[in-house]
Amino acid sequence: NVAVGLLDVFPSGTLGAMAARSDDLMPAGRFVFDTGALSAAVRFADRYEPQREAVREALNRPECDFGIAFRAGCLAELKFLDVVRVAVRLEAFRAAEALHQDGRIDEAIDALDAMLRLCAWLAAEPHPVARLEAAALRTEAFRAARAIALHPSVRRPHLAALYTMVEAQLAAWPGDAGAWI
């Protein structure tokens, strides 16, 4: 279960602060970081590199169930949303770093792949809050994909890999009815 590998990766007492800090570091519009913002984002990512690697390892598991207690209604524990948000942001910051440093496109694509897989697992949960968070994070991932596609060092094989990732996301996009029921 991917979720089991994710839920204890980050220190729970600081998870809210980590999520808030990642919100501050993520650019609001295009996936463009000025030098100071990129430096701060990379420092943040460096601090949690072992956790990012643990998330990557967990993503290799065949299934994911965050164990939402649906009978709890609005009181259901959704701490995993912050876990996924921070994990996606760590990958985004690595992608930005790779693009900035001599256009290491393959590394940026690897980070994007992890971002999209996290979004897909989150979107598969039949819960409206999880689905909305997945949509927001997927938007950030697609902004990163756009930055990769427009990078001057990108080549045809890179674009083919991006196309394949986006096509897979669209094919696996879950229906909305289950989440709202």
Side-chain angles (χ1 to χ4, degrees):
N1 185 354
V2 173
V4 172
L6 294 178
L7 293 180
D8 293 327
V9 167
F10 300 108
S12 61
T14 61
L15 188 57
M18 289 172 61
R21 179 67 179 140
S22 74
D23 289 345
D24 293 341
L25 293 170
M26 194 69 183
R30 293 179 29 225
F31 193 76
V32 175
F33 293 77
D34 64 36
T35 305
L38 180 61
S39 178
V42 168
R43 279 194 311 274
F44 181 83
D46 286 345
R47 183 173 178 191
Y48 299 105
E49 183 60 20
Q51 289 87 349
R52 187 183 73 87
E53 290 173 4
V55 168
R56 284 269 184 113
E57 187 175 312
L59 282 174
N60 292 323
R61 297 175 182 181
E63 61 185 47
C64 185
D65 180 1
F66 288 104
I68 300 172
F70 293 103
R71 292 185 178 197
C74 295
L75 301 177
E77 176 59 55
L78 300 177
K79 163 184 114 167
F80 65 89
L81 295 176
D82 283 340
V83 173
V84 174
R85 181 180 316 126
V86 170
V88 167
R89 298 278 175 68
L90 289 173
E91 294 293 347
F93 300 153
R94 287 298 178 215
E97 178 185 29
L99 290 175
H100 184 74
Q101 295 180 350
D102 299 325
R104 297 185 329 242
I105 305 299
D106 291 329
E107 290 177 37
I109 289 174
D110 286 344
L112 175 65
D113 181 56
M115 293 171 73
L116 289 172
R117 286 189 293 152
L118 284 161
C119 292
W121 285 123
L122 188 57
E125 288 294 333
H127 191 281
V129 177
R131 292 294 305 277
L132 290 170
E133 182 68 17
L137 292 173
R138 190 179 278 129
T139 299
E140 291 179 5
F142 284 147
R143 289 186 354 224
R146 180 180 188 271
I148 294 169
L150 295 176
H151 195 277
S153 298
V154 77
R155 300 292 173 252
R156 185 175 300 275
H158 299 129
L159 294 173
L162 291 173
Y163 176 82
T164 300
M165 279 191 265
V166 172
E167 190 175 57
Q169 284 290 308
L170 292 174
W173 205 287
D176 286 330
W180 292 101
I181 290 172

